[in-house]
Amino acid sequence: MSYINKNTVLAGTFAVLGLCLSACQSEAQTEVKYDCSVSDTIAAVKSGAKEWSMQKASSSGSVVIDFSCTRSPFVGDFQKCHIQLKQNKKGQFADEIAIDGGMKAHGHGLPTVPTLSPGATAGYYEIEGLKYSMPGAWIVGFKVNIDGVTDQIIFDFII
């Protein structure tokens, strides 16, 4: 490719890049407003939506968590949720287990400090104090230590 062709290609690339950036800036200026009173999630909760659950394995694959709530996650009130923890396909209580979460895009955590209380069945934990403050993309993560091995499982979903 000759020197002139390289400059022509670079000029075209910068022109396209400039158009993309101006399009992004115009999108970024669009204001998004939420009315939580009419959100689809709140409407589903009010209508008696079915139980909601997600299941995910740790990166090692040895720990699986089934994260379930009586309804789809919603804004404004405490969630009634629990997890079922399995190691190598068997219910197992963890030596240590912690829960945390937040909105990565907004750079903040959960508005509450949820806790986990073990149930009578091996691997079953009730989640108390879990609440979401606004609609959007959320993550809820569990850090699990079983037999000296620590695993982390993160669930991501949109309210």
Side-chain angles (χ1 to χ4, degrees):
M1 186 181 290
S2 71
Y3 182 73
I4 295 171
N5 287 342
K6 286 182 185 176
N7 286 339
T8 305
V9 170
L10 285 175
T13 302
F14 285 122
V16 171
L17 182 59
L19 288 173
C20 292
L21 288 175
S22 65
C24 291
Q25 288 173 349
S26 65
E27 283 183 28
Q29 294 172 358
T30 304
E31 187 175 332
V32 177
K33 293 184 180 180
Y34 294 104
D35 180 358
C36 295
S37 64
V38 294
S39 79
D40 293 338
T41 306
I42 294 291
V45 168
K46 288 179 180 176
S47 70
K50 295 180 180 180
E51 184 173 317
W52 173 90
S53 70
M54 296 178 81
Q55 187 178 74
K56 195 167 186 182
S58 64
S59 57
S60 70
S62 68
V63 175
V64 174
I65 290 182
D66 184 10
F67 177 31
S68 301
C69 301
T70 55
R71 297 185 172 133
S72 295
F74 59 95
V75 175
D77 203 359
F78 289 100
Q79 315 292 299
K80 185 164 176 59
C81 303
H82 67 273
I83 62 167
Q84 179 69 43
L85 170 69
K86 293 183 180 178
Q87 181 187 35
N88 299 322
K89 300 184 181 182
K90 294 182 182 179
Q92 170 110 10
F93 284 119
D95 299 328
E96 291 180 64
I97 185 166
I99 180 174
D100 200 3
M103 296 183 87
K104 290 192 316 187
H106 291 247
H108 65 75
L110 291 164
T112 58
V113 181
T115 59
L116 294 159
S117 301
T121 306
Y124 184 89
Y125 293 86
E126 288 286 336
I127 302 172
E128 299 168 8
L130 179 60
K131 191 176 195 177
Y132 306 106
S133 56
M134 62 192 299
W138 285 89
I139 60 169
V140 173
F142 299 91
K143 189 173 182 181
V144 179
N145 185 328
I146 300 176
D147 297 330
V149 177
T150 301
D151 266 316
Q152 185 174 356
I153 301 172
I154 298 174
F155 294 89
D156 55 284
F157 50 92
I158 296 175
I159 296 179

